[in-house]
Amino acid sequence: MPGRILPMFSLEEVESHNSAKSCYVTIGSKVYDITSFVDDHPGGGDLVLEYAGKDVTEILRDPVSHTHSESAYEILEDNLVGFIGTESNSKSAIGLAANGEPVYATTGMSTAEDLSVETDASQDYQKHKFLDLNKPLLMQLWNSGFSKEFYLEQVHRPRHYKGGESAPLFGNFLEPLSKTAWYVVPIVWVPPVVYGTYLGVSGLGHAPAAAGYWMFGFFLWSLIEYLMHRFLFHLDKYLPDNRVGITLHFLLHGIHHYLPMDKYRLVMPPSLFVILAAPFWKLAHAVFFYNWYAAVLAYCGGVFGYICYDLTHFFLHHRNLPSYYKGLKKYHLEHHFADFDNGFGVTSRFWDRVFGTELELPPPKVLKTQ
């Protein structure tokens, strides 16, 4: 049932859509996008724009203007885009989806299952004026002129491409380079980790010490995972308000929140991991400057932690898991459909608890719509 999830708006948000380029009106708590109807209004577009961003209940019933027919209301219902929320600035601002479930305002979704509801690309583009899923995404974004505020609002409203396939990113010969199957990660990185660990143990000549360095790197990865997810992938507040910053954000992590169930863009391409991992090679040797083998062991432990992270990330999205991981899966998917500003741990909640970003959803409050 594509298009069944509708977002929440504050009054301020509705009032900001007050031009011919984006014209919203309300009837009670319902919000309608009538931008496409402005030029077609029998009384002229200026009359519509006079009420842009406002409630039109009274003017539709006004006999002096003329009482509008049922067809006018049918046109409005065809352009219903959401509801006015009583707590619209909260993660728990709730409306009703078609299935009666509450909807989280920042994502327009209510449950993890909504992440896999196929998006009607044409309807989505008409409604949100963001990206057309049927066309290559990258150049659309680059040439869009989107503001940072609009981009972040839209990229955190998940979509699901038809048939569970990957939406086109480049639309040319570069397309295969943007996709990575989950099994590529262990195939590419386990052999170097095994070889590096062998070198480190042989060079250090002391197995317990070697295990200690390796486990230190493995544990340190969990902190690096948290810090990168929170301060690099979710650098929303400090993102430059220009197309370079927006496009880089989209390529690094935005596309994952936009299309979270894309199974070929869930793990990191080896080329990108090499770029991100290079500074940590330098860091390991700076910390363990007194012993090259200790640095190699710590680095290998960290890379193995990364392998576990990427595989865990894929399985949380696409596999049935044992009991511990079922809780972790629920936690991570809540980060996608309810609260992307918390819940940065993927392999565990440990650092979220340490730094106060553990994701805890408040009890939903259902908004009664008119």
Side-chain angles (χ1 to χ4, degrees):
M1 296 176 61
R4 68 184 178 91
I5 303 300
L6 296 176
M8 302 298 299
F9 297 93
S10 67
L11 285 171
E12 291 77 11
E13 286 175 312
V14 174
E15 289 168 357
S16 69
H17 292 268
N18 58 5
S19 68
K21 293 184 178 179
S22 182
C23 180
Y24 286 12
V25 296
T26 64
I27 296 180
S29 61
K30 294 183 177 181
V31 180
Y32 304 93
D33 180 356
I34 58 170
T35 308
S36 61
F37 183 66
V38 171
D39 292 335
D40 296 330
H41 185 254
D46 290 341
L47 182 60
V48 176
L49 293 177
E50 184 179 342
Y51 291 90
K54 301 176 183 178
D55 190 280
V56 294
T57 303
E58 295 303 321
I59 190 61
L60 291 178
R61 298 172 180 170
D62 186 2
V64 176
S65 173
H66 82 81
T67 303
H68 286 68
S69 66
E70 286 299 318
S71 62
Y73 288 94
E74 289 174 2
I75 291 171
L76 284 171
E77 288 303 319
D78 287 340
N79 292 282
L80 178 67
V81 293
F83 301 97
I84 297 293
T86 55
E87 299 178 39
S88 56
N89 291 323
S90 166
K91 297 293 182 209
S92 60
I94 304 296
L96 286 178
N99 62 356
E101 292 291 332
V103 177
Y104 292 93
T106 50
T107 65
M109 294 191 161
S110 57
T111 67
E113 287 72 24
D114 293 336
L115 295 168
S116 296
V117 175
E118 188 173 299
T119 300
D120 184 318
S122 298
Q123 184 184 59
D124 181 75
Y125 183 67
Q126 179 183 6
K127 181 186 297 182
H128 297 288
K129 307 298 188 295
F130 185 48
L131 298 176
D132 185 345
L133 286 168
N134 289 320
K135 299 177 181 178
L137 302 176
L138 188 64
M139 291 312 297
Q140 286 186 74
L141 188 63
W142 180 258
N143 294 320
S144 66
F146 294 146
S147 68
K148 165 185 162 180
E149 181 182 7
F150 177 74
Y151 162 76
L152 290 174
E153 175 192 340
Q154 289 298 321
V155 85
H156 287 302
R157 292 184 178 274
R159 276 76 162 180
H160 187 58
Y161 192 64
K162 56 190 177 185
E165 298 297 323
S166 297
L169 181 61
F170 294 102
N172 55 30
F173 67 94
L174 293 174
E175 194 68 26
L177 299 179
S178 72
K179 303 175 184 177
T180 308
W182 69 268
Y183 51 80
V184 170
V185 172
I187 288 174
V188 171
W189 298 117
V190 167
V193 167
V194 171
Y195 180 66
T197 301
Y198 168 76
L199 284 181
V201 172
S202 301
L204 204 62
H206 190 271
Y213 285 121
W214 196 94
M215 289 305 299
F216 172 80
F218 181 75
F219 175 74
L220 185 62
W221 165 260
S222 67
L223 175 60
I224 293 170
E225 166 199 321
Y226 173 86
L227 294 175
M228 288 181 67
H229 193 183
R230 181 178 178 182
F231 295 110
L232 178 60
F233 297 164
H234 282 271
L235 195 69
D236 297 359
K237 293 179 182 178
Y238 304 100
L239 184 67
D241 194 358
N242 57 54
R243 65 180 181 178
V244 174
I246 288 172
T247 302
L248 288 175
H249 180 277
F250 187 74
L251 289 174
L252 190 61
H253 197 61
I255 190 172
H256 175 53
H257 274 262
Y258 182 57
L259 297 162
M261 302 306 289
D262 184 342
K263 61 185 177 181
Y264 292 111
R265 295 192 177 112
L266 270 170
V267 299
M268 198 174 295
S271 55
L272 179 57
F273 179 69
V274 168
I275 294 171
L276 293 177
F280 295 108
W281 172 260
K282 296 289 186 181
L283 176 63
H285 285 274
V287 173
F288 299 104
F289 61 91
Y290 55 86
N291 193 306
W292 187 86
Y293 297 106
V296 170
L297 284 163
Y299 189 75
C300 286
V303 173
F304 187 76
Y306 153 72
I307 296 169
C308 294
Y309 155 79
D310 244 357
L311 297 186
T312 299
H313 190 209
F314 179 86
F315 295 150
L316 293 182
H317 279 266
H318 285 288
R319 292 289 186 272
N320 290 322
L321 298 165
S323 57
Y324 166 75
Y325 286 99
K326 284 182 180 177
L328 204 58
K329 177 176 182 139
K330 180 175 181 290
Y331 182 73
H332 180 65
L333 295 184
E334 285 174 349
H335 169 76
H336 280 282
F337 77 77
D339 184 3
F340 53 82
D341 282 333
N342 289 293
F344 301 107
V346 173
T347 53
S348 80
R349 300 187 185 193
F350 177 76
W351 295 110
D352 279 318
R353 288 168 177 160
V354 170
F355 293 110
T357 54
E358 190 170 14
L359 194 158
E360 295 182 2
L361 296 185
K365 297 179 181 179
V366 177
L367 177 70
K368 295 180 180 179
T369 60
Q370 294 183 355

